[in-house]
């Protein structure tokens, strides 16, 4: 696995600690009454020893037939991630901060009565080289 997969799995694990109403999927297609994360390109700043400091923005999106459930759930996930004092680490990475770039906001409503909300998180982590 790549470092990015490991970091994303760790962040999804933290999100699941909030006990959201749905499994958290990876991808752009948010399922009915579901939640998904969509990673964007990362911005690593590499050092001579091949270690790097990385800022990675991911979209956190949700759909639900109840507007307040999706809004409150995404807000709860944001709060739980951004207020932590300890983050996961492994042999190849160490997350040192997660912050909100864009708080949960209404994107629209589908014809099947699914409210769609979206938000952005920035994951800051240290990637260890060889």
């Amino acid at each position: 696995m790549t470092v990015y997969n490991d970091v994303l799995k760790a962040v999804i694990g933290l999100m699941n600690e909030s006990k959201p109403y749905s499994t958290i999927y990876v991808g752009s297609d948010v399922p009915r009454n579901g939640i998904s994360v969509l990673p964007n390109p990362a911005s690593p700043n590499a050092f001579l020893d091949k270690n790097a400091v990385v800022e990675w923005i991911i979209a956190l999106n949700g759909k639900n037939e109840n507007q307040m459930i999706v809004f409150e759930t995404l807000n709860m996930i944001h709060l739980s991630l951004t207020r932590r004092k300890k983050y996961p680490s492994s042999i190849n990475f160490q997350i040192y901060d997660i912050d909100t770039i864009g708080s949960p906001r209404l994107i629209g409503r589908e014809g099947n009565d699914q409210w769609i909300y979206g938000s952005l998180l920035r994951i800051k982590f240290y990637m260890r080289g060889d």
Side-chain angles (χ1 to χ4, degrees):
M1 275 209 228
T2 69
V3 173
Y4 293 99
N5 284 340
D6 293 344
V7 170
L8 189 59
K9 281 186 177 184
V11 171
I12 290 172
L14 294 176
M15 290 177 178
N16 283 325
E17 290 178 8
S18 299
K19 308 242 187 287
Y21 62 85
S22 165
T23 300
I24 298 173
Y25 300 91
V26 177
S28 59
D29 188 23
V30 184
R32 182 173 174 79
N33 292 321
I35 299 171
S36 71
V37 293
L38 179 62
N40 290 292
S43 302
N45 292 316
F47 302 108
L48 291 175
D49 63 1
K50 297 302 180 181
N51 291 318
V53 172
V54 181
E55 290 192 6
W56 193 21
I57 296 174
I58 63 169
L60 174 64
N61 300 315
K63 283 186 193 176
N64 199 285
E65 57 201 22
N66 184 317
Q67 185 176 11
M68 288 312 294
I69 287 176
V70 65
F71 178 68
E72 289 173 358
T73 300
L74 294 188
N75 274 305
M76 181 176 53
I77 291 171
H78 272 261
L79 281 174
S80 71
L81 292 176
T82 60
R83 298 186 52 84
R84 293 181 73 91
K85 299 214 183 326
K86 291 188 177 185
Y87 292 98
S89 65
S90 75
I91 195 164
N92 58 359
F93 74 87
Q94 178 180 355
I95 298 171
Y96 63 89
D97 191 33
I98 299 176
D99 62 348
T100 296
I101 299 296
S103 60
R105 68 205 173 282
L106 179 64
I107 293 174
R109 189 173 187 191
E110 293 182 334
N112 61 1
D113 292 334
Q114 291 283 294
W115 294 94
I116 306 167
Y117 275 76
S119 61
L120 295 173
L121 291 158
R122 178 174 39 211
I123 304 162
K124 299 175 185 177
F125 66 96
Y126 184 67
M127 185 177 2
R128 297 183 176 106
D130 294 332

